[in-house]
Amino acid sequence: MTVSLEQLRRCHFAVDLGAARTRVYVKGAGLVVDQPSVAAMNTRTGALIAVGEFAEQMMGRTPGYIRVVRPISGGTVVDIEMAQRMLRQLIGDKMRRALRRNLRLRAAACTPHDADPLAQRATIETLVGLGCRKVELVDTLIAAAVGCGLPVERPEATMIMVCGAAATQVAVLSLGSIVTAERIPVGGEAVDHAIVQHLRHEHELMLPSQSVRPLQLALSGNGLTPHGPASTEIHGRDVATGLARSVRVDTAAVRDAIQTPLTAVLDGIGKVLRDCPPDLVADLADSGIIMVGGSALLPGFDQMLREATGMPVHIAERPDICAAQGLGAMLEGRIEPLVLNPLAA
């Protein structure tokens, strides 16, 4: 492992700060928080009104004096103070008091692959503000690979793709380390945006931002595959009149609109494979790609990758919480460190 498992075993809790959801794993208690990374604030008084799911429901429905914000963008904390306040509320007073009993409170946190020092510092500052004396940073790719049970410590190739809301990370792992990796700035939000723009331009229809996820409406059945339904009915607001209107949308046209952002993901996979040693690529012909992250559940995405790469593609059992589970496994000591002893002369 590129991270110190001995140091991680000393941590008391772990945090996966995602652009879409925040997850907190407490040693001995398991996953205690799995909520949207959203906070609502009263701009007149500065008071925090709601966090998590309730705050997400407020988006697009608030009066002028209530501001709904996402303090985390692309796995990077962009508003440290708001992220701290959000985490305090999500963890809760009871659990926070239990954690603060540890005089030298330690925490672990996921960071995107190749995160710059400023982004790493923002994550550390966020957790230090919660009372942590020491913060260990773990690459999201390694945490997710451990969480979905990949044999990352063995001398064989495993390929993982973390499909996040703001970005997609692809890597080949061997001997507990990242051999080659690529971070593509395309995620589930880009796919949703492509669908929204298609409906606006082709049908002059605006979708509600939060009432229903656009992806769930436009893609049903087999989703991205041609075997899905030929058309589906969409409810939204007419761009010209502002009145509610329903249109029947050709799902084949929606699939074409989605291809543009997803093509960038395929290019990233190709670059990772080209930079990978041939022996490891041969291993991947059998093991294939493991998809994790919330956007891995995009209907038909795995089938599209299967056809484009010719490799087996599998979705993890619980793709959305794999990174948090991986951090938890490291904290609980369920991962044995790889020992490479030098040979005697």
Side-chain angles (χ1 to χ4, degrees), residues 26 84-102 105 129-131:
V26 176
Q84 289 174 349
R85 296 175 69 182
M86 181 187 74
L87 273 173
R88 287 193 192 99
Q89 292 298 321
L90 290 176
I91 294 174
D93 293 337
K94 184 178 178 181
M95 184 62 71
R96 200 163 67 247
R97 283 195 298 268
L99 289 172
R100 291 295 291 268
R101 293 193 190 107
N102 302 291
L105 184 62
L130 297 179

Side-chain angles (χ1 to χ4, degrees), residues 22-71:
T22 293
R23 298 173 179 92
V24 180
Y25 187 103
V26 176
K27 183 186 285 188
L31 193 66
V32 298
V33 173
D34 184 3
Q35 294 278 341
S37 305
V38 187
M41 185 183 68
N42 187 327
T43 56
R44 295 174 181 172
T45 63
L48 199 64
I49 298 173
V51 296
E53 290 181 356
F54 188 39
E56 189 177 47
Q57 293 172 7
M58 292 183 177
M59 293 187 73
R61 294 185 170 90
T62 59
Y65 66 91
I66 295 179
R67 187 164 62 99
V68 181
V69 297
R70 290 184 177 271

Side-chain angles (χ1 to χ4, degrees), residues 84-221:
Q84 289 174 349
R85 296 175 69 182
M86 181 187 74
L87 273 173
R88 287 193 192 99
Q89 292 298 321
L90 290 176
I91 294 174
D93 293 337
K94 184 178 178 181
M95 184 62 71
R96 200 163 67 247
R97 283 195 298 268
L99 289 172
R100 291 295 291 268
R101 293 193 190 107
N102 302 291
L103 297 180
R104 292 194 60 81
L105 184 62
R106 292 171 174 258
C110 283
T111 55
H113 180 68
D114 284 345
D116 59 79
L118 191 61
Q120 294 180 359
R121 187 65 187 172
T123 302
I124 293 173
E125 288 292 333
T126 300
L127 296 179
V128 167
L130 297 179
C132 297
R133 299 295 184 88
K134 179 75 174 175
V135 179
E136 301 287 344
L137 299 180
V138 182
D139 196 303
T140 303
L141 290 163
I142 291 180
V146 171
C148 62
L150 289 178
V152 292
E153 73 282 353
R154 296 180 187 173
E156 61 185 58
T158 53
M159 189 170 189
I160 187 165
M161 186 167 76
V162 180
C163 309
T168 300
Q169 303 172 68
V170 186
V172 174
L173 309 177
S174 181
L175 290 173
S177 299
I178 296 174
V179 178
T180 177
E182 188 73 15
R183 187 168 183 262
I184 307 115
V186 173
E189 292 176 352
V191 174
D192 287 354
H193 181 71
I195 294 174
V196 170
Q197 291 301 309
H198 168 77
L199 294 175
R200 185 183 179 96
H201 293 150
E202 297 297 325
H203 300 277
E204 297 185 350
L205 192 76
M206 290 181 65
L207 290 182
S209 60
Q210 289 300 315
S211 61
V212 281
R213 183 177 163 97
L215 197 58
Q216 305 277 333
L217 280 175
L219 297 177
S220 55

